[in-house]
């Protein structure tokens, strides 16, 4: 359902609305209340920053990366009228602590579930294509963050910055995040990926990186629901037995599970069937392993082309870290609970932008939302929130339609099929001048 499908009815008779009413029109109040109930938070007395205002302030932390948190609340004008025009910095800190992390996390999860069920996405062989991958975030250098999240270690000692590991599930055609889990850096991506299993929708294909090869995890993923398939590159040392050959480059194989895996994952059988497909690109042979053993439903030509979509999740991470956070690697918050709250706010802000981009192309099947510039769309959305003053909020449907028209203009250039960037190790820069050869000195 589009974000503003009921605006005409909502604002047709509105006369006295403020900025928080404008922002609340993008989020279902019942959804927010459900998130508060699940997290066990509630506002007993009337405050200048009610829970809804705090949620939008946390979202604004990722949209206005250079501004202090208290200034974000004042910029969005989400506080209720009081003696002072502006909100004090201490009030914002107390409001964030009162809200906690779980409430923002539930808001993100509930909105992601609803968005996936209401928007139409591109499909491949009748399946929604998803991708799973991990990313690291750096937290403030405090003792609490260091004890909770841990840090990287090198030959000279510890890296002073704590690190948070995140693993996300993304719909590749729209870059919409369906679920995300994060923990300390000592918790591996495989463990975080297991926590994503309950969020896997039916009739989907999930693309994994090579490092996620675990027969226990893949079997858990495949048996979670109806037609929940997986695909990942095959390891060079993969041990298998060919069950039957589909073609010269395609076969159904049998994989043997280990006793340790069967002990860790209950219900894991001794063997699993999978499909091993090989193909050649520029003279180099690649192999992918998948659960799609039905060659009639999933033809060879289709299977060899789908895995390239896994890189879409890398673009999504870049949009969050480079565009939204403006390449500022360190998060703002100094306490672990607030760090997690800030990350949930980042994911929520990212999905809200993606949902508006989906709204912009909903009547244009020839235009994919991933072909719109995320950075330019984000700037227009921010201007929309700041320029639509409360006195004109009754005309919000008109303003929103103008925003949709402007977003559709932010198209990216067509991809060049002949452009190829092979992966390589970048040379480490040095602060010392390079010594010249003897021949150059003469």
């Amino acid at each position: 359902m589009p974000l503003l499908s009921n605006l005409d009815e909502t604002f047709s008779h509105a006369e006295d609305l403020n900025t928080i009413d404008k922002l609340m029109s993008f989020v279902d109040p019942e959804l927010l209340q459900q998130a508060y109930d699940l997290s066990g938070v509630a506002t007993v007395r009337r405050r200048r920053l009610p829970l809804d205002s705090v949620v939008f302030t946390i979202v604004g932390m990722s949209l206005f990366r250079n501004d202090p948190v208290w200034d974000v609340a004042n910029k969005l004008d989400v506080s209720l009228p009081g003696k002072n025009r502006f909100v004090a910095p201490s009030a914002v800190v107390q409001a964030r602590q009162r809200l906690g992390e779980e409430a923002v996390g539930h808001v993100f999860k509930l909105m992601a579930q609803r968005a996936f069920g209401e928007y139409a996405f591109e499909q491949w062989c009748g399946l929604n294509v998803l991708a799973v991958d991990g990313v690291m975030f750096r937290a403030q250098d405090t003792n609490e963050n260091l004890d909770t999240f841990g840090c990287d270690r090198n030959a000279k000692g510890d890296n002073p910055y704590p690190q948070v590991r995140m693993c996300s599930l993304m719909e590749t055609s729209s870059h919409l995040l369906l679920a995300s889990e994060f923990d300390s850096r000592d918790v591996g991506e495989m463990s975080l990926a297991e926590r994503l299993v309950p969020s896997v929708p039916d009739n989907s294909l999930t693309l994994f990186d090579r490092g996620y090869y675990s027969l226990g995890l893949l079997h858990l993923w495949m048996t979670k629901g109806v037609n929940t398939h997986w695909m990942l590159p095959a390891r060079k040392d993969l041990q298998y037995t060919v069950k039957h050959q589909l073609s010269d480059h395609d076969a159904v194989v049998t994989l043997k599970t280990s006793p340790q895996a069967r002990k860790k994952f209950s219900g894991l059988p001794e063997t699993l069937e999978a499909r091993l497909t090989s193909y050649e690109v520029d003279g180099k042979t690649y192999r992918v392993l998948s659960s799609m053993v039905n060659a009639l439903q999933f033809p060879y030509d289709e299977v060899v082309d789908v895995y390239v979509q896994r890189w879409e999740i890398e673009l999504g991470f870049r949009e969050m870290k480079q565009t939204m956070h403006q390449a500022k690697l360190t998060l703002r918050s100094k306490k672990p609970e607030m760090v997690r709250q800030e990350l949930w706010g980042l994911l929520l802000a990212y999905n809200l932008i993606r949902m508006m981009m989906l709204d912009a192309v909903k009547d244009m099947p020839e235009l994919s939302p991933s072909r719109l510039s995320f950075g330019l769309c984000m700037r227009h959305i921010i201007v929309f929130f700041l320029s639509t003053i409360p006195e004109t909020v009754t005309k919000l449907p008109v303003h929103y339609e103008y925003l949709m028209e402007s977003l559709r203009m932010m198209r990216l250039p067509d991809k060049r099929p002949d452009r190829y960037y092979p992966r390589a190790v970048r040379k480490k820069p040095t602060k010392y001048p390079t010594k010249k050869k003897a021949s150059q000195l003469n």
Side-chain angles (χ1 to χ4, degrees), residues 326-425:
Q326 301 180 16
K328 296 184 177 181
L329 303 180
T330 307
L331 301 172
R332 303 173 184 239
S333 306
K334 297 182 179 180
K335 293 187 177 181
E337 183 182 14
M338 297 297 99
V339 169
R340 290 187 285 264
Q341 184 192 75
E342 183 178 350
L343 284 175
W344 285 124
L346 168 64
L347 300 176
L348 183 56
Y350 177 82
N351 263 6
L352 283 173
I353 295 174
R354 280 294 169 190
M355 291 165 66
M356 292 187 183
M357 294 170 68
L358 280 166
D359 268 356
V361 301
K362 64 180 180 180
D363 297 326
M364 304 180 66
E366 72 281 359
L367 180 60
S368 172
S370 62
R371 300 309 303 156
L372 299 179
S373 171
F374 180 84
L376 294 177
C377 289
M378 184 185 73
R379 295 175 191 175
H380 277 70
I381 291 171
I382 292 175
V383 171
F384 167 77
F385 281 122
L386 296 181
S387 61
T388 308
I389 58 178
E391 287 75 10
T392 62
V393 76
T394 53
K395 298 182 179 179
L396 191 55
V398 178
H399 296 312
Y400 189 74
E401 182 56 36
Y402 176 81
L403 173 65
M404 295 295 100
E405 293 180 6
S406 62
L407 295 187
R408 286 190 284 268
M409 299 294 294
M410 307 303 163
R411 302 190 186 189
L412 294 170
D414 294 335
K415 293 182 179 180
R416 292 178 56 177
D418 57 337
R419 181 159 295 188
Y420 175 64
Y421 295 100
R423 303 183 71 175
V425 178

Side-chain angles (χ1 to χ4, degrees), residues 258-269:
S258 65
Q260 295 81 3
R262 292 194 294 271
K263 182 178 180 180
K264 180 179 179 181
F265 297 92
S266 59
L268 179 63

Side-chain angles (χ1 to χ4, degrees), residues 88-105:
S90 59
V92 180
V93 175
Q94 295 172 6
R96 289 187 61 195
Q97 294 173 348
R98 185 173 69 251
L99 178 64
E101 60 171 292
E102 292 186 6
V104 188

Side-chain angles (χ1 to χ4, degrees), residues 42-83:
T43 301
V44 179
R45 60 184 177 87
R46 184 178 178 86
R47 302 175 183 267
R48 286 205 65 192
L49 282 176
L51 295 181
D52 298 341
S53 300
V54 184
V55 171
F56 287 113
T57 301
I58 296 170
V59 171
M61 289 172 59
S62 296
L63 299 179
F64 303 95
R65 189 67 173 90
N66 294 323
D67 300 334
V69 182
W70 58 267
D71 191 36
V72 173
N74 292 323
K75 191 185 298 290
L76 292 176
D77 193 20
V78 293
S79 62
L80 299 179
K83 295 181 180 179

